[in-house]
Amino acid sequence: MRKVYQLCMLIAIVMWSCSAHAQFDSVYQFEATGNPVITHKYTADPAAFVHNDVFYVYAGQDTGDGKWYNMPNWLVFSTQDFKTWKEYPVPMKTGDFKWAKDHSSWAAQVIERNGKFYWYVSTEHQTGGKAIGVAVSDSPTGPFVDARSSALVTNDMTKDCTSISWDDIDPTVWIDDDGQAYLIWGNTCCYYAKLKDNMIELDSEIKTFNLPDFTEAPWIHKHGDWYYLSYAAWFPEKICYAMSKSIEGPWEYKGILNEVAGNSNTNHQSIVEYKGNWYFVYHNGSIPTAGGSYLRSVCIDRLYYNPDGTLKRVQMTTEGVVPQ
Ligand code: FUB
């Protein structure tokens, strides 16, 4: 009996290890059983995106010994019911940006404009310091290619607010109702600038938003005529948010939206509406036993509004969201 148990354990470990390191040539399908949603790989910094009734999640892949960030790839997953998920062949690696250092696929977001999909990423520049790049594809599942062959934002462009080298990370992008696109990003300082219609060049000076205790991970969404800027505050991080009637602010601080996520010092959220419901997509470090701050896992829970437009505190759950 003991031998059978040992054999089963061995097979399970080998299977998990194979799938955890597999790079699929075709679409890989799996079923979510709650949170974390993705358990065959470690995934972080989820950026949700809805297109043609499909719910996509873009994420960086955490790998390594769990002692620091070791992120070689950005990944893309999709679902239409929160139960059955697809993972697509790796759509982009840090190596696809010739100017970037390998294994630095930090937080990123995809947006669509005029039938093209733009993926704004944070990564490490070979000349030092974090930088923001942009890739483009004709499909939300890629493959994506570097749209500029150079970084869109580099550390020397943002020296007035802070002298740290890691402030140019965590891009979020927003196309306003008048068609003007904005790039918002930062660590320690929250920066914003207009983007040209081509989506791959800045079209204004870089300014800053004043947000209490801002650490990183800004994310913009809109509900009714309110704009919401959610972001990670403090460290370990909680997610806070501010509201405004204009994308350029001023932003009114509204408090904590999500508490520290289990077993992870970062929390990195995205917020989207899908089929009439709102979702809060984030990561924790809860996969036993190796999961942690550098081996993170994407989770999804519901987001609810109060009648005055403010947000209810997120309730992180093991069960996750109900299949639709
Ligand atoms: O994944 C690397 C970094 O950790 C992200 O860019 C931050 O938002 C934090 O989640």
Side-chain angles (χ1 to χ4, degrees), residues 4-45:
V4 173
Y5 174 77
Q6 284 172 335
L7 185 65
C8 289
M9 285 301 286
L10 186 65
I11 291 170
I13 289 166
V14 169
M15 283 176 69
W16 185 86
S17 162
C18 288
S19 66
H21 295 103
Q23 305 302 349
F24 310 110
D25 293 329
S26 54
V27 173
Y28 170 70
Q29 193 163 303
F30 61 97
E31 300 226 326
T33 56
N35 283 325
V37 173
I38 301 155
T39 55
H40 61 281
K41 286 181 177 175
Y42 294 106
T43 50
D45 306 323

mmCIF file of all heavy atoms in Angstrom, residues 4-45:
data_model
loop_
_atom_site.group_PDB
_atom_site.id
_atom_site.type_symbol
_atom_site.label_atom_id
_atom_site.label_comp_id
_atom_site.label_asym_id
_atom_site.label_seq_id
_atom_site.Cartn_x
_atom_site.Cartn_y
_atom_site.Cartn_z
ATOM 1 N N VAL A 4 2.446 1.810 -3.375
ATOM 2 C CA VAL A 4 1.492 2.375 -4.347
ATOM 3 C C VAL A 4 1.376 3.887 -4.116
ATOM 4 O O VAL A 4 1.413 4.697 -5.049
ATOM 5 C CB VAL A 4 0.092 1.706 -4.219
ATOM 6 C CG1 VAL A 4 -0.920 2.409 -5.102
ATOM 7 C CG2 VAL A 4 0.199 0.240 -4.584
ATOM 8 N N TYR A 5 1.258 4.268 -2.833
ATOM 9 C CA TYR A 5 1.152 5.687 -2.480
ATOM 10 C C TYR A 5 2.390 6.456 -2.959
ATOM 11 O O TYR A 5 2.289 7.510 -3.588
ATOM 12 C CB TYR A 5 0.993 5.818 -0.966
ATOM 13 C CG TYR A 5 1.024 7.255 -0.496
ATOM 14 C CD1 TYR A 5 -0.093 8.076 -0.662
ATOM 15 C CD2 TYR A 5 2.172 7.788 0.095
ATOM 16 C CE1 TYR A 5 -0.066 9.394 -0.250
ATOM 17 C CE2 TYR A 5 2.211 9.099 0.514
ATOM 18 C CZ TYR A 5 1.092 9.908 0.345
ATOM 19 O OH TYR A 5 1.126 11.205 0.750
ATOM 20 N N GLN A 6 3.573 5.856 -2.708
ATOM 21 C CA GLN A 6 4.823 6.521 -3.117
ATOM 22 C C GLN A 6 4.887 6.678 -4.637
ATOM 23 O O GLN A 6 5.284 7.715 -5.154
ATOM 24 C CB GLN A 6 6.033 5.732 -2.623
ATOM 25 C CG GLN A 6 6.263 5.932 -1.128
ATOM 26 C CD GLN A 6 7.343 5.012 -0.590
ATOM 27 O OE1 GLN A 6 7.606 3.954 -1.156
ATOM 28 N NE2 GLN A 6 7.959 5.414 0.498
ATOM 29 N N LEU A 7 4.430 5.619 -5.347
ATOM 30 C CA LEU A 7 4.447 5.666 -6.811
ATOM 31 C C LEU A 7 3.519 6.773 -7.326
ATOM 32 O O LEU A 7 3.870 7.552 -8.208
ATOM 33 C CB LEU A 7 4.022 4.297 -7.382
ATOM 34 C CG LEU A 7 4.114 4.176 -8.903
ATOM 35 C CD1 LEU A 7 5.579 4.294 -9.342
ATOM 36 C CD2 LEU A 7 3.542 2.841 -9.367
ATOM 37 N N CYS A 8 2.322 6.836 -6.725
ATOM 38 C CA CYS A 8 1.353 7.871 -7.129
ATOM 39 C C CYS A 8 1.937 9.257 -6.895
ATOM 40 O O CYS A 8 1.805 10.158 -7.738
ATOM 41 C CB CYS A 8 0.052 7.740 -6.344
ATOM 42 S SG CYS A 8 -0.879 6.306 -6.834
ATOM 43 N N MET A 9 2.562 9.444 -5.739
ATOM 44 C CA MET A 9 3.164 10.752 -5.418
ATOM 45 C C MET A 9 4.227 11.115 -6.447
ATOM 46 O O MET A 9 4.305 12.245 -6.930
ATOM 47 C CB MET A 9 3.792 10.736 -4.018
ATOM 48 C CG MET A 9 2.790 10.795 -2.891
ATOM 49 S SD MET A 9 1.771 12.264 -2.959
ATOM 50 C CE MET A 9 2.929 13.499 -2.424
ATOM 51 N N LEU A 10 5.047 10.109 -6.811
ATOM 52 C CA LEU A 10 6.126 10.338 -7.772
ATOM 53 C C LEU A 10 5.548 10.758 -9.130
ATOM 54 O O LEU A 10 5.986 11.739 -9.743
ATOM 55 C CB LEU A 10 6.970 9.070 -7.915
ATOM 56 C CG LEU A 10 8.216 9.226 -8.778
ATOM 57 C CD1 LEU A 10 9.190 10.197 -8.105
ATOM 58 C CD2 LEU A 10 8.895 7.881 -8.996
ATOM 59 N N ILE A 11 4.509 10.018 -9.575
ATOM 60 C CA ILE A 11 3.886 10.356 -10.869
ATOM 61 C C ILE A 11 3.313 11.773 -10.817
ATOM 62 O O ILE A 11 3.490 12.573 -11.738
ATOM 63 C CB ILE A 11 2.780 9.322 -11.219
ATOM 64 C CG1 ILE A 11 3.436 7.977 -11.525
ATOM 65 C CG2 ILE A 11 1.954 9.788 -12.422
ATOM 66 C CD1 ILE A 11 2.470 6.808 -11.650
ATOM 67 N N ALA A 12 2.636 12.111 -9.692
ATOM 68 C CA ALA A 12 2.032 13.449 -9.572
ATOM 69 C C ALA A 12 3.095 14.537 -9.640
ATOM 70 O O ALA A 12 2.938 15.549 -10.329
ATOM 71 C CB ALA A 12 1.249 13.556 -8.266
ATOM 72 N N ILE A 13 4.239 14.309 -8.947
ATOM 73 C CA ILE A 13 5.308 15.317 -8.937
ATOM 74 C C ILE A 13 5.895 15.478 -10.327
ATOM 75 O O ILE A 13 6.103 16.592 -10.813
ATOM 76 C CB ILE A 13 6.403 14.949 -7.898
ATOM 77 C CG1 ILE A 13 5.841 15.151 -6.487
ATOM 78 C CG2 ILE A 13 7.656 15.790 -8.096
ATOM 79 C CD1 ILE A 13 6.669 14.530 -5.393
ATOM 80 N N VAL A 14 6.130 14.334 -11.016
ATOM 81 C CA VAL A 14 6.705 14.406 -12.370
ATOM 82 C C VAL A 14 5.753 15.148 -13.310
ATOM 83 O O VAL A 14 6.143 16.018 -14.075
ATOM 84 C CB VAL A 14 7.014 12.990 -12.912
ATOM 85 C CG1 VAL A 14 7.353 13.029 -14.388
ATOM 86 C CG2 VAL A 14 8.173 12.379 -12.134
ATOM 87 N N MET A 15 4.434 14.808 -13.206
ATOM 88 C CA MET A 15 3.453 15.462 -14.084
ATOM 89 C C MET A 15 3.401 16.955 -13.825
ATOM 90 O O MET A 15 3.368 17.774 -14.732
ATOM 91 C CB MET A 15 2.066 14.856 -13.883
ATOM 92 C CG MET A 15 1.940 13.499 -14.576
ATOM 93 S SD MET A 15 0.375 12.731 -14.246
ATOM 94 C CE MET A 15 -0.720 13.800 -15.135
ATOM 95 N N TRP A 16 3.380 17.359 -12.523
ATOM 96 C CA TRP A 16 3.316 18.781 -12.195
ATOM 97 C C TRP A 16 4.562 19.482 -12.714
ATOM 98 O O TRP A 16 4.488 20.540 -13.324
ATOM 99 C CB TRP A 16 3.215 18.983 -10.680
ATOM 100 C CG TRP A 16 3.024 20.431 -10.345
ATOM 101 C CD1 TRP A 16 1.845 21.109 -10.282
ATOM 102 C CD2 TRP A 16 4.055 21.388 -10.078
ATOM 103 N NE1 TRP A 16 2.067 22.426 -9.989
ATOM 104 C CE2 TRP A 16 3.414 22.629 -9.856
ATOM 105 C CE3 TRP A 16 5.444 21.344 -10.014
ATOM 106 C CZ2 TRP A 16 4.116 23.790 -9.564
ATOM 107 C CZ3 TRP A 16 6.139 22.503 -9.722
ATOM 108 C CH2 TRP A 16 5.470 23.696 -9.495
ATOM 109 N N SER A 17 5.716 18.839 -12.501
ATOM 110 C CA SER A 17 6.970 19.446 -12.916
ATOM 111 C C SER A 17 7.002 19.623 -14.435
ATOM 112 O O SER A 17 7.418 20.658 -14.942
ATOM 113 C CB SER A 17 8.113 18.574 -12.423
ATOM 114 O OG SER A 17 9.259 18.861 -13.100
ATOM 115 N N CYS A 18 6.519 18.597 -15.183
ATOM 116 C CA CYS A 18 6.518 18.709 -16.653
ATOM 117 C C CYS A 18 5.623 19.851 -17.094
ATOM 118 O O CYS A 18 5.993 20.686 -17.904
ATOM 119 C CB CYS A 18 6.022 17.418 -17.296
ATOM 120 S SG CYS A 18 7.219 16.111 -17.147
ATOM 121 N N SER A 19 4.387 19.886 -16.528
ATOM 122 C CA SER A 19 3.462 20.920 -16.998
ATOM 123 C C SER A 19 3.918 22.298 -16.556
ATOM 124 O O SER A 19 3.756 23.279 -17.261
ATOM 125 C CB SER A 19 2.039 20.641 -16.529
ATOM 126 O OG SER A 19 1.986 20.755 -15.135
ATOM 127 N N ALA A 20 4.544 22.377 -15.355
ATOM 128 C CA ALA A 20 4.975 23.686 -14.859
ATOM 129 C C ALA A 20 6.037 24.307 -15.746
ATOM 130 O O ALA A 20 6.159 25.508 -15.838
ATOM 131 C CB ALA A 20 5.510 23.547 -13.445
ATOM 132 N N HIS A 21 6.798 23.461 -16.397
ATOM 133 C CA HIS A 21 7.880 24.010 -17.213
ATOM 134 C C HIS A 21 7.588 23.927 -18.703
ATOM 135 O O HIS A 21 8.391 24.313 -19.526
ATOM 136 C CB HIS A 21 9.186 23.267 -16.880
ATOM 137 C CG HIS A 21 9.592 23.522 -15.462
ATOM 138 N ND1 HIS A 21 9.397 22.604 -14.471
ATOM 139 C CD2 HIS A 21 10.111 24.613 -14.869
ATOM 140 C CE1 HIS A 21 9.798 23.113 -13.311
ATOM 141 N NE2 HIS A 21 10.230 24.324 -13.524
ATOM 142 N N ALA A 22 6.394 23.387 -19.040
ATOM 143 C CA ALA A 22 6.089 23.199 -20.465
ATOM 144 C C ALA A 22 5.868 24.535 -21.153
ATOM 145 O O ALA A 22 5.295 25.447 -20.599
ATOM 146 C CB ALA A 22 4.842 22.348 -20.596
ATOM 147 N N GLN A 23 6.358 24.660 -22.359
ATOM 148 C CA GLN A 23 6.011 25.776 -23.224
ATOM 149 C C GLN A 23 5.179 25.153 -24.333
ATOM 150 O O GLN A 23 5.665 24.329 -25.087
ATOM 151 C CB GLN A 23 7.261 26.454 -23.799
ATOM 152 C CG GLN A 23 8.243 26.917 -22.751
ATOM 153 C CD GLN A 23 7.643 27.896 -21.746
ATOM 154 O OE1 GLN A 23 6.548 28.394 -21.921
ATOM 155 N NE2 GLN A 23 8.363 28.155 -20.677
ATOM 156 N N PHE A 24 3.917 25.509 -24.380
ATOM 157 C CA PHE A 24 3.017 24.818 -25.287
ATOM 158 C C PHE A 24 3.164 25.341 -26.708
ATOM 159 O O PHE A 24 3.275 26.535 -26.930
ATOM 160 C CB PHE A 24 1.582 24.994 -24.803
ATOM 161 C CG PHE A 24 1.421 24.659 -23.349
ATOM 162 C CD1 PHE A 24 1.163 25.649 -22.426
ATOM 163 C CD2 PHE A 24 1.565 23.355 -22.910
ATOM 164 C CE1 PHE A 24 1.044 25.351 -21.082
ATOM 165 C CE2 PHE A 24 1.446 23.041 -21.561
ATOM 166 C CZ PHE A 24 1.183 24.042 -20.649
ATOM 167 N N ASP A 25 3.125 24.382 -27.677
ATOM 168 C CA ASP A 25 3.134 24.781 -29.086
ATOM 169 C C ASP A 25 1.720 25.090 -29.552
ATOM 170 O O ASP A 25 1.511 25.765 -30.542
ATOM 171 C CB ASP A 25 3.707 23.654 -29.955
ATOM 172 C CG ASP A 25 5.176 23.454 -29.635
ATOM 173 O OD1 ASP A 25 5.823 24.441 -29.267
ATOM 174 O OD2 ASP A 25 5.649 22.310 -29.726
ATOM 175 N N SER A 26 0.750 24.524 -28.849
ATOM 176 C CA SER A 26 -0.636 24.781 -29.209
ATOM 177 C C SER A 26 -1.381 25.177 -27.938
ATOM 178 O O SER A 26 -0.792 25.252 -26.872
ATOM 179 C CB SER A 26 -1.238 23.531 -29.830
ATOM 180 O OG SER A 26 -1.048 22.462 -28.944
ATOM 181 N N VAL A 27 -2.670 25.401 -28.090
ATOM 182 C CA VAL A 27 -3.439 25.859 -26.939
ATOM 183 C C VAL A 27 -3.557 24.731 -25.909
ATOM 184 O O VAL A 27 -3.829 23.583 -26.261
ATOM 185 C CB VAL A 27 -4.836 26.326 -27.406
ATOM 186 C CG1 VAL A 27 -5.720 26.635 -26.219
ATOM 187 C CG2 VAL A 27 -4.691 27.540 -28.312
ATOM 188 N N TYR A 28 -3.346 25.079 -24.654
ATOM 189 C CA TYR A 28 -3.457 24.118 -23.549
ATOM 190 C C TYR A 28 -4.715 24.463 -22.762
ATOM 191 O O TYR A 28 -4.909 25.616 -22.378
ATOM 192 C CB TYR A 28 -2.213 24.238 -22.666
ATOM 193 C CG TYR A 28 -2.291 23.480 -21.358
ATOM 194 C CD1 TYR A 28 -2.272 22.099 -21.326
ATOM 195 C CD2 TYR A 28 -2.366 24.174 -20.149
ATOM 196 C CE1 TYR A 28 -2.335 21.412 -20.123
ATOM 197 C CE2 TYR A 28 -2.421 23.492 -18.936
ATOM 198 C CZ TYR A 28 -2.408 22.124 -18.934
ATOM 199 O OH TYR A 28 -2.471 21.444 -17.738
ATOM 200 N N GLN A 29 -5.568 23.487 -22.550
ATOM 201 C CA GLN A 29 -6.828 23.754 -21.848
ATOM 202 C C GLN A 29 -6.780 23.189 -20.432
ATOM 203 O O GLN A 29 -6.261 22.090 -20.234
ATOM 204 C CB GLN A 29 -7.976 23.121 -22.633
ATOM 205 C CG GLN A 29 -9.330 23.596 -22.157
ATOM 206 C CD GLN A 29 -10.410 23.302 -23.176
ATOM 207 O OE1 GLN A 29 -10.330 23.731 -24.319
ATOM 208 N NE2 GLN A 29 -11.414 22.565 -22.746
ATOM 209 N N PHE A 30 -7.317 23.934 -19.491
ATOM 210 C CA PHE A 30 -7.370 23.426 -18.112
ATOM 211 C C PHE A 30 -8.618 23.965 -17.413
ATOM 212 O O PHE A 30 -9.259 24.897 -17.895
ATOM 213 C CB PHE A 30 -6.101 23.809 -17.335
ATOM 214 C CG PHE A 30 -5.873 25.298 -17.196
ATOM 215 C CD1 PHE A 30 -6.269 25.979 -16.041
ATOM 216 C CD2 PHE A 30 -5.262 26.023 -18.197
ATOM 217 C CE1 PHE A 30 -6.046 27.340 -15.898
ATOM 218 C CE2 PHE A 30 -5.045 27.391 -18.072
ATOM 219 C CZ PHE A 30 -5.441 28.045 -16.926
ATOM 220 N N GLU A 31 -8.941 23.375 -16.272
ATOM 221 C CA GLU A 31 -10.130 23.798 -15.531
ATOM 222 C C GLU A 31 -9.725 24.427 -14.214
ATOM 223 O O GLU A 31 -8.890 23.888 -13.490
ATOM 224 C CB GLU A 31 -11.033 22.603 -15.253
ATOM 225 C CG GLU A 31 -11.507 21.940 -16.520
ATOM 226 C CD GLU A 31 -12.995 21.634 -16.520
ATOM 227 O OE1 GLU A 31 -13.524 21.329 -15.447
ATOM 228 O OE2 GLU A 31 -13.599 21.698 -17.610
ATOM 229 N N ALA A 32 -10.321 25.566 -13.912
ATOM 230 C CA ALA A 32 -10.059 26.223 -12.632
ATOM 231 C C ALA A 32 -10.991 25.647 -11.584
ATOM 232 O O ALA A 32 -12.151 25.344 -11.872
ATOM 233 C CB ALA A 32 -10.288 27.722 -12.764
ATOM 234 N N THR A 33 -10.475 25.502 -10.374
ATOM 235 C CA THR A 33 -11.317 24.972 -9.293
ATOM 236 C C THR A 33 -11.481 26.002 -8.179
ATOM 237 O O THR A 33 -11.841 25.648 -7.065
ATOM 238 C CB THR A 33 -10.694 23.686 -8.717
ATOM 239 O OG1 THR A 33 -9.353 23.994 -8.302
ATOM 240 C CG2 THR A 33 -10.676 22.569 -9.727
ATOM 241 N N GLY A 34 -11.184 27.247 -8.462
ATOM 242 C CA GLY A 34 -11.255 28.302 -7.448
ATOM 243 C C GLY A 34 -9.985 29.114 -7.519
ATOM 244 O O GLY A 34 -9.359 29.201 -8.577
ATOM 245 N N ASN A 35 -9.590 29.722 -6.401
ATOM 246 C CA ASN A 35 -8.351 30.505 -6.361
ATOM 247 C C ASN A 35 -7.226 29.720 -5.714
ATOM 248 O O ASN A 35 -7.467 29.053 -4.709
ATOM 249 C CB ASN A 35 -8.584 31.803 -5.584
ATOM 250 C CG ASN A 35 -9.318 32.819 -6.420
ATOM 251 O OD1 ASN A 35 -9.125 32.894 -7.634
ATOM 252 N ND2 ASN A 35 -10.154 33.627 -5.774
ATOM 253 N N PRO A 36 -6.001 29.822 -6.254
ATOM 254 C CA PRO A 36 -5.621 30.481 -7.499
ATOM 255 C C PRO A 36 -6.235 29.796 -8.724
ATOM 256 O O PRO A 36 -6.485 28.590 -8.715
ATOM 257 C CB PRO A 36 -4.102 30.361 -7.537
ATOM 258 C CG PRO A 36 -3.674 30.078 -6.139
ATOM 259 C CD PRO A 36 -4.821 29.332 -5.522
ATOM 260 N N VAL A 37 -6.419 30.601 -9.753
ATOM 261 C CA VAL A 37 -7.045 30.104 -10.973
ATOM 262 C C VAL A 37 -6.071 29.235 -11.763
ATOM 263 O O VAL A 37 -6.454 28.207 -12.325
ATOM 264 C CB VAL A 37 -7.482 31.319 -11.837
ATOM 265 C CG1 VAL A 37 -7.978 30.875 -13.192
ATOM 266 C CG2 VAL A 37 -8.534 32.140 -11.108
ATOM 267 N N ILE A 38 -4.818 29.669 -11.800
ATOM 268 C CA ILE A 38 -3.793 28.974 -12.594
ATOM 269 C C ILE A 38 -2.841 28.300 -11.616
ATOM 270 O O ILE A 38 -2.240 28.972 -10.772
ATOM 271 C CB ILE A 38 -3.028 29.983 -13.481
ATOM 272 C CG1 ILE A 38 -4.014 30.687 -14.422
ATOM 273 C CG2 ILE A 38 -1.909 29.291 -14.270
ATOM 274 C CD1 ILE A 38 -3.555 32.054 -14.883
ATOM 275 N N THR A 39 -2.732 26.992 -11.709
ATOM 276 C CA THR A 39 -1.903 26.281 -10.725
ATOM 277 C C THR A 39 -0.774 25.477 -11.374
ATOM 278 O O THR A 39 0.042 24.899 -10.661
ATOM 279 C CB THR A 39 -2.765 25.337 -9.861
ATOM 280 O OG1 THR A 39 -3.478 24.470 -10.731
ATOM 281 C CG2 THR A 39 -3.733 26.108 -8.993
ATOM 282 N N HIS A 40 -0.735 25.395 -12.695
ATOM 283 C CA HIS A 40 0.327 24.600 -13.326
ATOM 284 C C HIS A 40 1.576 25.430 -13.592
ATOM 285 O O HIS A 40 2.589 24.888 -14.023
ATOM 286 C CB HIS A 40 -0.168 23.949 -14.619
ATOM 287 C CG HIS A 40 -0.614 24.922 -15.663
ATOM 288 N ND1 HIS A 40 -1.844 25.539 -15.642
ATOM 289 C CD2 HIS A 40 0.020 25.399 -16.752
ATOM 290 C CE1 HIS A 40 -1.946 26.331 -16.684
ATOM 291 N NE2 HIS A 40 -0.828 26.275 -17.369
ATOM 292 N N LYS A 41 1.489 26.753 -13.383
ATOM 293 C CA LYS A 41 2.638 27.659 -13.502
ATOM 294 C C LYS A 41 2.441 28.735 -12.454
ATOM 295 O O LYS A 41 1.311 28.987 -12.038
ATOM 296 C CB LYS A 41 2.641 28.366 -14.868
ATOM 297 C CG LYS A 41 3.050 27.515 -16.023
ATOM 298 C CD LYS A 41 3.046 28.291 -17.317
ATOM 299 C CE LYS A 41 3.551 27.375 -18.417
ATOM 300 N NZ LYS A 41 3.488 27.989 -19.735
ATOM 301 N N TYR A 42 3.502 29.428 -12.117
ATOM 302 C CA TYR A 42 3.362 30.598 -11.266
ATOM 303 C C TYR A 42 3.148 31.823 -12.156
ATOM 304 O O TYR A 42 3.879 32.014 -13.140
ATOM 305 C CB TYR A 42 4.600 30.787 -10.396
ATOM 306 C CG TYR A 42 4.779 29.674 -9.394
ATOM 307 C CD1 TYR A 42 5.763 28.714 -9.566
ATOM 308 C CD2 TYR A 42 3.933 29.579 -8.287
ATOM 309 C CE1 TYR A 42 5.919 27.686 -8.647
ATOM 310 C CE2 TYR A 42 4.078 28.541 -7.363
ATOM 311 C CZ TYR A 42 5.071 27.605 -7.549
ATOM 312 O OH TYR A 42 5.213 26.593 -6.648
ATOM 313 N N THR A 43 2.142 32.623 -11.819
ATOM 314 C CA THR A 43 1.774 33.761 -12.666
ATOM 315 C C THR A 43 1.540 34.991 -11.805
ATOM 316 O O THR A 43 0.982 34.887 -10.702
ATOM 317 C CB THR A 43 0.484 33.432 -13.434
ATOM 318 O OG1 THR A 43 -0.499 32.943 -12.508
ATOM 319 C CG2 THR A 43 0.729 32.388 -14.518
ATOM 320 N N ALA A 44 1.959 36.152 -12.297
ATOM 321 C CA ALA A 44 1.903 37.373 -11.480
ATOM 322 C C ALA A 44 1.444 38.578 -12.296
ATOM 323 O O ALA A 44 1.462 38.552 -13.524
ATOM 324 C CB ALA A 44 3.289 37.657 -10.911
ATOM 325 N N ASP A 45 1.038 39.625 -11.578
ATOM 326 C CA ASP A 45 0.689 40.918 -12.181
ATOM 327 C C ASP A 45 -0.389 40.783 -13.251
ATOM 328 O O ASP A 45 -0.221 41.240 -14.389
ATOM 329 C CB ASP A 45 1.934 41.577 -12.789
ATOM 330 C CG ASP A 45 3.067 41.698 -11.789
ATOM 331 O OD1 ASP A 45 2.787 41.965 -10.609
ATOM 332 O OD2 ASP A 45 4.231 41.508 -12.196
#
